Amino acid sequence: SLDIWDPFEGFSAVASVPPSARETTAFATARIDWKETPEAHIFKADLPGLKKEEVKVEVEDGNVLQISGERSKEHEEKNDKWHRVERSCGKFMRRFRLPENAKVD
C-alpha cells in the first residue's frame, strides 16, 4: 500500500503540545514519494517554502539516500498580529535504503 500512516491523524491532543514542538515535529516528517521505473528511482518530496539550494541530497554507505534540510522561522515584527500559524519550521532528514543494484551515480 502507498498510504502513509500518520500517528497524529484525528487526534485533538496534539493541540496541547507547545507550538514550537508541533512545528518541528510537523516538518520533521516531510512527505516523500518513491517510485522505481526501468530507468531510475524517482523521489518526490513535499518541501513547501524551501529553495533547491536549501535541500541536501546525498548517498551514504554506498546505497542509503539521505534527504535533509531546514526551514527557518519567519522574522516576526513587534507590531505583527498573527491569526494563524500552520506552516512548520525546523530541520528534517529522511533516509532510504536503495536496492543493491541501484546505480547511485
Side-chain angles (χ1 to χ4, degrees):
S1 172
L2 295 177
D3 293 329
I4 298 174
W5 176 64
D6 181 359
F8 300 109
E9 186 174 75
F11 283 93
S12 59
V14 175
S16 64
V17 176
S20 60
R22 255 195 330 261
E23 291 168 3
T24 302
T25 302
F27 200 57
T29 58
R31 307 283 179 144
I32 299 177
D33 296 339
W34 173 13
K35 75 175 177 179
E36 182 178 352
T37 69
E39 296 80 30
H41 289 268
I42 300 170
F43 291 83
K44 292 185 180 183
D46 287 338
L47 304 171
L50 285 181
K51 297 177 182 142
K52 185 167 68 168
E53 307 81 46
E54 297 172 320
V55 178
K56 188 175 185 180
V57 179
E58 55 194 341
V59 177
E60 296 182 334
D61 301 326
N63 70 333
V64 177
L65 178 72
Q66 179 173 298
I67 303 171
S68 61
E70 180 175 6
R71 181 183 310 138
S72 302
K73 194 167 191 155
E74 241 179 73
H75 177 68
E76 194 172 315
E77 296 293 328
K78 189 174 182 176
N79 295 330
D80 289 349
K81 179 179 177 182
W82 289 87
H83 293 280
R84 189 169 196 93
V85 177
E86 293 184 344
R87 296 182 313 137
S88 55
C89 63
K91 294 180 181 181
F92 76 93
M93 180 179 69
R94 297 291 309 274
R95 295 172 60 123
F96 302 90
R97 184 169 304 282
L98 300 171
E100 293 296 326
N101 64 349
K103 297 176 185 170
V104 295
D105 54 341

